[in-house]
Amino acid sequence: MTGSGKPSGGILEWLAIRNAVEKLGAQRVWSDALSWTRFTGSLALALLVLLCLTGVFMAFNYTPVPGTAYDSVDFAQFSLPFGGLIRGVHHYAWNLLLMVMGLHLARALVVAGYQPPRELTWISGLLIMLFIPVFIITGDLLPWDQKGFWSTQVRTSIMGSVPVAGDWMVRLLQGGPRTGIVALTRFYVLHLLVLPGTLLLLVGLHFHFVAHRGVSEPLFSTRERRQVSLFPTMVNRWLLLLLIITVALGAVAYLWPVPLGDPADPTDSNYIPKPEWWVLFLNQLVAIFRGPLMVLGTAVIPGALAAGLMVLPFIDRGPERHPLRRKAMLTVIAAIGLVLLVLSIMGYLEHYGPPPA
Amino acid sequence: MDENREAATGGQRYTDRRGFLKTVVLAGTTLATAGIPLAAYFVSPALEKGGGRWVDFGAVADLNDGETAMLSFEYMVKDGWQVLPQRGFVWARRGPGEAVKVMSSTCTHLACNVIWKPERQVFECPCHTGIYDAEGRPISGPPARPLAVLEHKIEDGKLQVYLTA
Ligand code: HEM
Ligand code: FES
């Protein structure tokens, strides 16, 4: 590695990108921005890239029409070479992305990565995180199988139970009262066009603030901090990570093929949609509060949690970052985390455990 | 003229107040002009009324006295640019005597389909274990309201139920 390979004038000049390339080559970043102790953000980016890549290719063999949608996914998965792998990687990538983003958030909470001057890095990151579920909700309906169809019924009725705006949100989202061709078309356009576009914007914003406000200094390591070149050193590290995660997800998708359920059947009374692992706690919240209190579980508590995270940098302003000297803050955060975990376990036992006697 | 102003402000275009106001007006007008048709285009399908219809469920005599039966329906509805069968089912109970009660299968909590459990004489909702009694009144679990009672009539011995959406 030569470090700063001087670009050879000719072609760069001709493409009028010489300045840009030289600037990029001179860009230095902290070596620990992507390291063994700080990798969740880079991993999340790798997963987003994989999601876009597999998603675009799946779209080449997908038609957003009830019934036909199922056939197209079935055909792609079982009749096209690597069809199962591509769908599988898409599926496992979003599951892993949720976990990785959870870790990314947890790390920032523990080491106070949200403190000034990184408030906007934190807020843009939260926006991305709140945005990913919309991707999953719209994507889930696309295969038009039982699971997607019935989960959508549950989700739209949770949304619809929100006072005043609820019914309207559902109608706008579905383009009418029912989950049919208009709804599927809307979900499709959201999932493949509108959401990826918005996501690109948000990720750009997040990186803008990461670049300008920097990453927080390591708290526990005593080694001296070094800088490395963004290109090629950092880019190569990230590419290695992308390669590893691609191979790993491919292997997982090969060993545990993603199931494709039965085609959606709105009359099937026996189909019980089970909430997925990442919404178990929400589902429990929704089940705990009844009647007029229901809005607590569907809107007030989730909304308060999100708002609380948003304003965190303005409450815990630092400069104290060490977790042991932020005991009060971390106790509150841990308590909330524990409640969410307990709710998730309760939900798991209710929906996946042995049937009640 | 623009050059003059730029020169006057030392090349700092962002201090050009009038220019900025023009941008705001132009962009705002464009947004409103394009936005109104676009928004109407996006929102209009959502305004579609569900509408209702009488659906024939066959002879009342087919219902056994005192039993709760699942009656399936299928009718055509307009869904955007397609006409599609809408399928589902309702719960109907005959008795005592000639009285008939037709209940929606839609759980009043979050709209899962409730299932009749003859052994225990209750409706059970699989989603959050809501339980209703035989009359559709909530007994336990999250549901707070009873199952919707559907309007019905009997014509020539046939059960007709008014279904919306
Ligand atoms: C960035 C986050 C993304 C998430 C979280 C996501 C999530 C999902 C989910 C949950 C499904 C349901 C199918 C399954 O479980 O395997 C799905 C399907 C699909 N996604 Fe995505 N997706 C993302 C990005 C994209 C992008 C960028 C595209 C394309 C531009 C795309 C295209 C598709 C297509 C065509 C399907 C239907 C085919 C199938 O289900 O196998 N996705 N997506
Ligand atoms: S939907 Fe029936 S109990 Fe929740």
Side-chain angles (χ1 to χ4, degrees), chain A residues 313-341:
Chain A
F314 307 101
I315 298 172
D316 180 13
R317 303 188 54 87
E320 207 50 86
R321 284 184 53 216
H322 200 286
L324 289 180
R325 271 162 284 169
R326 288 163 49 242
K327 280 202 189 104
M329 179 58 73
L330 281 182
T331 311
V332 173
I333 291 170
I336 294 176
L338 196 68
V339 170
L340 296 185
L341 183 69

Side-chain angles (χ1 to χ4, degrees), chain A residues 8-184:
Chain A
S8 54
I11 186 149
L12 296 179
E13 206 68 74
W14 192 61
L15 291 171
I17 53 167
R18 174 159 191 170
N19 271 348
V21 168
E22 273 175 1
K23 232 160 119 190
L24 191 71
Q27 198 79 240
R28 317 271 301 164
V29 291
W30 289 110
S31 164
D32 62 4
L34 167 47
S35 59
W36 291 113
T37 51
R38 179 161 17 211
F39 61 86
T40 49
S42 310
L43 185 50
L45 182 67
L47 290 169
L48 282 178
V49 168
L50 271 183
L51 278 165
C52 288
L53 207 63
T54 50
V56 168
F57 276 82
M58 279 202 291
F60 281 116
N61 291 291
Y62 177 81
T63 40
V65 180
T68 317
Y70 180 86
D71 298 335
S72 72
V73 174
D74 185 83
F75 174 78
Q77 180 166 0
F78 300 109
S79 305
L80 292 177
F82 298 107
L85 275 192
I86 291 174
R87 177 156 187 257
V89 168
H90 198 75
H91 179 84
Y92 288 114
W94 70 255
N95 275 281
L96 187 58
L97 178 66
L98 285 174
M99 300 179 210
V100 169
M101 282 195 319
L103 289 177
H104 196 58
L105 180 95
R107 183 187 190 282
L109 284 174
V110 171
V111 304
Y114 50 78
Q115 284 176 0
R118 283 175 270 280
E119 306 97 311
L120 291 175
T121 317
W122 170 255
I123 289 175
S124 57
L126 279 179
L127 288 179
I128 296 176
M129 197 167 289
L130 294 176
F131 194 70
I132 294 300
V134 195
F135 255 110
I136 299 175
I137 290 168
T138 51
D140 212 16
L141 183 66
L142 298 183
W144 203 253
D145 59 349
Q146 285 283 63
K147 176 172 142 297
F149 181 85
W150 287 104
S151 304
T152 303
Q153 303 312 304
V154 174
R155 288 170 187 147
T156 50
S157 39
I158 292 181
M159 227 188 283
S161 75
V162 172
V164 193
D167 190 44
W168 265 103
M169 289 189 325
V170 174
R171 274 178 166 264
L172 269 185
L173 178 67
Q174 296 199 125
R178 55 182 65 85
T179 312
I181 192 165
V182 187
L184 183 57

Side-chain angles (χ1 to χ4, degrees), chain B residues 17-39:
Chain B
R17 243 244 195 79
R18 270 192 47 202
F20 178 71
L21 280 178
K22 267 192 207 163
T23 312
V24 168
V25 170
L26 280 173
T29 316
T30 313
L31 206 70
T33 321
I36 291 167
L38 291 178

